[in-house]
């Protein structure tokens, strides 16, 4: 079959100029996704030149380029103007970095901190504009929350409240659920769920305006059964369900709700190894003797060491989470879920689509793979021959007789 002549250099120059114009119009960021897309387009171009007539090749390349740009370009964003946003938990981490970035963009930022004299609060005072306002708030104290509601109303009379970023959270312990004190579960629920619920309900009269946003950073333990994070994970799972409920109920008002589920990032709490060591010692000293004997101190030390190792792999750059918060606040059509962080999308694919045994093994390999408790090890008093033969936990344990009503 006779091939049509491939477009001349002038024609290719015109095509390249139009593509460049489209790239300039699209809000793209140079990074791995864009470079990968360009590499795939180059490979497709090479194949088209050899397999297709010129017009068909141009049509295929144009369609592929349009699809790539549509997937990679940022969605249209609303202007910042004089929008006001309240961010909780700005002493450190995502909250502090988001407050700094939003203030620099021109937002009127109301930032709550646990301590007005904390290093994070002092940093915000030093580097942010006079428009940023700091407020002390402890989510376990209803009086602090009531004061924050009045503070927000007083500072948004002229602008209204555009968004609430429920960032504050607490993870107080890393241990099996049986080893975690009941008070720890209650404390995590008070901060991560009930405090968030009370604050959000109190601010809904200000947020019930079309386009208002409710982005909530909520790490993946709120969706996945991470070993040794039972107290933290259950409280965060409650928050996820609450935000999904708000997303349905507030839709008629035009309020958008987004849950941001980041991977492991190197925030101040992650870097504070001495704090985790202190919590481990407190746990060991508070366990009942029979429980400590059943599990063994080395079991807790092993889990603690694996936890610290996973933290050492945390990502130091917090900007993907901050960018997700900004997009949730300003995108004309924000996503209901954001997954910032390396490998988070793969984690959720494994969690939702692969069999339970593979999911469990993945979480153990990725996070904590506990050793056998002391009472189950061969030769220990009270262990049975069956237990002696089991060197690893059963990958398919029998279901518990507990029935959820």
């Amino acid at each position: 079959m006779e091939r049509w002549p491939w477009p001349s250099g002038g024609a290719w120059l015109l095509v390249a100029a139009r593509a460049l114009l489209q790239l300039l119009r699209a809000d793209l960021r140079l990074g791995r996704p864009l470079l990968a897309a360009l590499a795939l387009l180059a490979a497709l171009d090479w194949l088209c030149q050899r397999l297709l007539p010129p017009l068909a090749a141009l049509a295929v390349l144009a369609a592929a380029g349009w699809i790539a740009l549509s997937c990679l370009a940022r969605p249209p964003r609303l202007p910042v103007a004089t929008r006001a946003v309240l961010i909780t938990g700005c002493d450190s981490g995502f909250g502090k970095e988001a407050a700094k970035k939003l203030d620099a963009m021109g937002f009127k930022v109301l930032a709550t901190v646990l301590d007005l004299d904390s290093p994070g609060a002092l940093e915000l005072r030093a580097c942010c504009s006079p428009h940023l306002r700091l407020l002390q708030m402890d989510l376990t104290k209803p009086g602090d929350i009531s004061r924050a509601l009045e503070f927000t109303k007083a500072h948004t009379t002229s602008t209204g409240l555009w968004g609430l970023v429920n960032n504050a959270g607490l993870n107080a312990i890393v241990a099996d659920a049986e080893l975690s004190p009941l008070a720890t579960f209650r404390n995590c629920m008070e901060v991560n769920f009930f405090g968030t619920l009370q604050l959000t309900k109190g601010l809904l009269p200000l947020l019930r305006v079309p386009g208002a946003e409710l982005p909530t950073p909520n790490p993946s333990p709120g969706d996945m059964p991470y070993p040794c994070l039972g107290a933290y994970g259950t409280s965060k799972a409650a928050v996820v369900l609450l935000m999904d409920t708000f997303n349905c109920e507030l839709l008629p008002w035009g309020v958008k709700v987004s849950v941001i589920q980041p991977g492991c990032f190197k925030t101040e709490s992650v870097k504070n190894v001495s704090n985790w060591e202190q919590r481990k010692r407190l746990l060991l000293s508070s366990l009942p003797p029979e429980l400590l004997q059943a599990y063994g101190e080395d079991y807790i030390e092993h889990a603690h060491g694996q936890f610290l190792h996973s933290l050492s792999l945390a990502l130091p750059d917090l900007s993907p989470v901050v960018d997700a918060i900004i997009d949730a606040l300003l995108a004309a059509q924000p996503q209901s879920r954001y997954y910032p962080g390396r490998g988070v999308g793969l984690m959720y694919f494994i969690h939702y689509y692969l069999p339970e045994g593979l999911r469990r093994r993945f979480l153990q390999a990725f996070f904590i793979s506990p050793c056998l408790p002391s009472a189950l090890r061969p030769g220990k008093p009270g262990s049975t021959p069956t237990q002696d033969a089991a060197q690893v936990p059963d990958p398919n344990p029998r279901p518990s007789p507990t029935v959820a009503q």
Side-chain angles (χ1 to χ4, degrees):
M1 181 180 68
E2 184 180 355
R3 292 191 177 276
W4 296 359
W6 198 249
S8 64
W12 270 118
L13 187 61
L14 180 60
V15 172
R18 288 178 177 173
L20 180 60
L21 180 62
Q22 186 68 16
L23 280 171
L24 291 175
R25 287 176 178 172
D27 187 7
L28 293 174
R29 176 177 295 181
L30 184 62
R32 291 180 182 176
L34 179 58
L35 294 176
L38 293 175
L40 289 174
L41 287 175
L44 182 61
D45 174 39
W46 182 84
L47 287 174
C48 288
Q49 290 189 44
R50 284 153 181 78
L51 300 177
L52 296 176
L55 290 180
L58 282 175
V60 170
L61 284 174
W66 181 83
I67 292 172
L69 287 175
S70 300
C71 293
L72 293 173
R74 291 177 181 173
R77 286 187 172 180
L78 303 171
V80 173
T82 56
R83 303 185 194 277
V85 59
L86 174 67
I87 311 174
T88 65
C90 295
D91 297 86
S92 62
F94 303 137
K96 184 184 73 175
E97 296 304 317
K100 289 161 63 176
K101 185 67 177 288
L102 292 173
D103 176 74
M105 293 174 64
F107 275 91
K108 182 175 183 179
V109 177
L110 309 178
T112 76
V113 294
L114 196 58
D115 182 1
L116 288 172
D117 295 320
S118 67
L122 297 177
E123 181 181 343
L124 289 176
R125 281 200 190 96
C127 69
C128 292
S129 73
H131 298 293
L132 183 136
R133 295 286 187 270
L134 286 176
L135 172 68
Q136 189 277 330
M137 184 182 71
D138 184 341
L139 281 173
T140 64
K141 298 179 179 178
D144 281 13
I145 296 176
S146 298
R147 189 159 45 86
L149 297 177
E150 295 302 321
F151 179 88
T152 304
K153 292 174 185 176
H155 284 83
T156 58
T157 51
S158 59
T159 62
L161 183 63
W162 177 253
L164 166 62
V165 182
N166 282 308
N167 171 72
L170 170 70
N171 180 19
I173 197 169
V174 178
D176 287 33
E178 186 180 9
L179 299 175
S180 303
L182 192 58
T184 302
F185 280 85
R186 289 198 174 103
N187 199 22
C188 283
M189 289 296 292
E190 283 294 334
V191 175
N192 299 337
F193 178 73
F194 287 112
T196 297
L197 174 61
Q198 183 181 351
L199 180 67
T200 304
K201 281 174 61 68
L203 290 175
L204 282 182
L206 301 180
L207 289 164
R208 284 199 311 266
V209 294
E213 306 284 352
L214 260 172
T216 301
N218 203 79
S220 49
D223 260 353
M224 303 182 195
Y226 274 70
C228 301
L229 288 182
Y232 180 65
T234 50
S235 64
K236 285 297 187 179
V239 173
V240 170
L241 185 56
L242 173 67
M243 291 303 151
D244 286 344
T245 303
F246 277 141
N247 197 22
C248 294
E249 296 174 348
L250 297 176
L251 191 60
W253 298 89
V255 179
K256 313 284 178 53
V257 181
S258 299
V259 176
I260 300 165
Q261 299 182 293
C264 188
F265 286 83
K266 198 162 286 186
T267 59
E268 279 81 350
S269 63
V270 168
K271 293 185 289 187
N272 194 348
V273 176
S274 62
N275 188 36
W276 294 113
E277 291 283 355
Q278 181 181 357
R279 292 177 182 179
K280 179 202 67 177
R281 291 194 296 268
L282 182 62
L283 172 67
L284 287 170
S285 64
S286 62
L287 283 177
E290 63 275 9
L291 196 56
L292 182 59
Q293 181 180 3
Y295 278 87
E297 183 174 339
D298 57 339
Y299 177 92
I300 297 172
E301 292 285 357
H302 173 81
H304 179 74
Q306 290 204 327
F307 173 70
L308 292 183
H309 174 70
S310 71
L311 296 188
S312 69
L313 304 176
L315 302 175
D317 181 15
L318 307 187
S319 62
V321 182
V322 175
D323 290 342
I325 293 172
I326 294 170
D327 190 77
L329 287 169
L330 290 179
Q333 295 295 330
Q335 303 172 36
S336 60
R337 288 288 193 279
Y338 291 85
Y339 301 104
R342 187 174 57 214
V344 179
L346 175 62
M347 288 170 54
Y348 276 93
F349 175 83
I350 292 172
H351 177 66
Y352 285 121
Y353 298 108
L354 295 189
E356 181 185 355
L358 291 177
R359 297 200 306 262
R360 184 166 55 249
R361 289 188 183 96
F362 172 77
L363 281 178
Q364 290 176 346
F366 174 77
F367 188 59
I368 292 177
S369 179
C371 61
L372 276 176
S374 178
L376 297 179
R377 294 172 198 163
K380 290 290 181 179
S383 63
T384 66
T386 303
Q387 292 169 339
D388 289 349
Q391 299 298 317
V392 295
D394 184 0
N396 297 295
R398 289 173 295 177
S400 165
T402 303
V403 177
Q405 297 293 336

